[in-house]
Amino acid sequence: METLKVERLLVNYKTLEEFKRFKEYGNQELSMLDDLQNNIVENDSESPFFGIYYGSALVARMSLYRVHAKYDQYFEPPQDYLELWKLEVLPDYRGKGYGKALVDFAKSYKLPIKTNPRIKSHAFWEKMGFQKAQYDVERDLGENPLIWMPPGVQEKELTDK
């Protein structure tokens, strides 16, 4: 299999048009269209959006945000981590390694990663090495986060109060 190249997506009107293809597949809860429209700056190269192209078509995407330790509500001791949001692969390209390539790209930063999986996607995240986050009730934000820890980085388990 060819190596899939993950690219930082430019925040511009071309990317906005490409994002509309994803929304058409009924995944409005995953749509980054609103995020993109709110942050549009012509050809912003520091966007939080990453994707994989097949030819000239964007077929997989995610947003990846670095959260600084002072805002950490999931790890003990608090630490910088990545928040992986809205990973989506167009239906015709699923099962071909695009989602794994995006997750591996995020893992290459060697920081803990937190994600909130979509319904029916837990098997994918478990296969990628993610586990249910352990955190106390005070930290529960109505999410069911999964986390991944880089090799050699250990999280102290949080206990329910």
Side-chain angles (χ1 to χ4, degrees):
M1 182 175 148
E2 67 182 76
T3 303
L4 301 175
K5 182 181 176 197
V6 176
E7 302 177 34
R8 184 181 296 267
L9 301 178
L10 297 176
V11 179
N12 60 28
Y13 291 100
K14 178 180 182 283
T15 305
L16 183 63
E17 287 302 312
E18 290 172 327
F19 276 20
K20 289 179 181 176
R21 290 183 59 215
F22 288 83
K23 193 171 185 177
E24 290 173 2
Y25 284 92
N27 292 320
Q28 287 186 316
E29 76 281 4
L30 292 179
S31 175
M32 290 187 277
L33 197 57
D34 292 335
D35 289 349
L36 182 64
Q37 286 174 319
N38 292 336
N39 293 301
I40 200 156
V41 175
E42 198 63 36
N43 288 324
D44 181 357
S45 62
E46 293 303 314
S47 82
F49 309 111
F50 295 87
I52 301 174
Y53 287 88
Y54 183 82
S56 63
L58 180 66
V59 299
R61 67 184 185 174
M62 71 175 171
S63 55
L64 197 59
Y65 297 91
R66 185 173 184 143
V67 179
H68 294 284
K70 68 181 179 180
Y71 302 110
D72 179 3
Q73 298 181 30
Y74 296 94
F75 302 98
E76 189 63 44
Q79 56 193 294
D80 286 5
Y81 68 94
L82 296 176
E83 190 152 13
L84 192 158
W85 284 92
K86 303 171 185 171
L87 184 137
E88 186 177 5
V89 177
L90 290 176
D92 291 346
Y93 298 89
R94 292 183 185 153
K96 299 179 180 178
Y98 292 95
K100 181 182 183 321
L102 288 171
V103 172
D104 286 347
F105 177 83
K107 288 178 176 180
S108 73
Y109 284 89
K110 297 185 179 2
L111 288 171
I113 302 171
K114 176 208 164 255
T115 191
N116 292 318
R118 296 178 53 197
I119 296 170
K120 300 180 184 175
S121 70
H122 277 80
F124 168 79
W125 292 106
E126 287 173 7
K127 187 175 173 183
M128 297 294 108
F130 283 71
Q131 299 176 348
K132 186 173 177 141
Q134 302 295 318
Y135 53 94
D136 63 41
V137 175
E138 291 176 15
R139 296 172 191 231
D140 185 0
L141 303 173
E143 303 172 344
N144 293 302
L146 297 179
I147 60 170
W148 174 82
M149 297 298 290
V153 176
Q154 296 298 317
E155 176 197 16
K156 278 181 18 185
E157 189 172 310
L158 299 176
T159 57
D160 291 335
K161 287 187 177 180

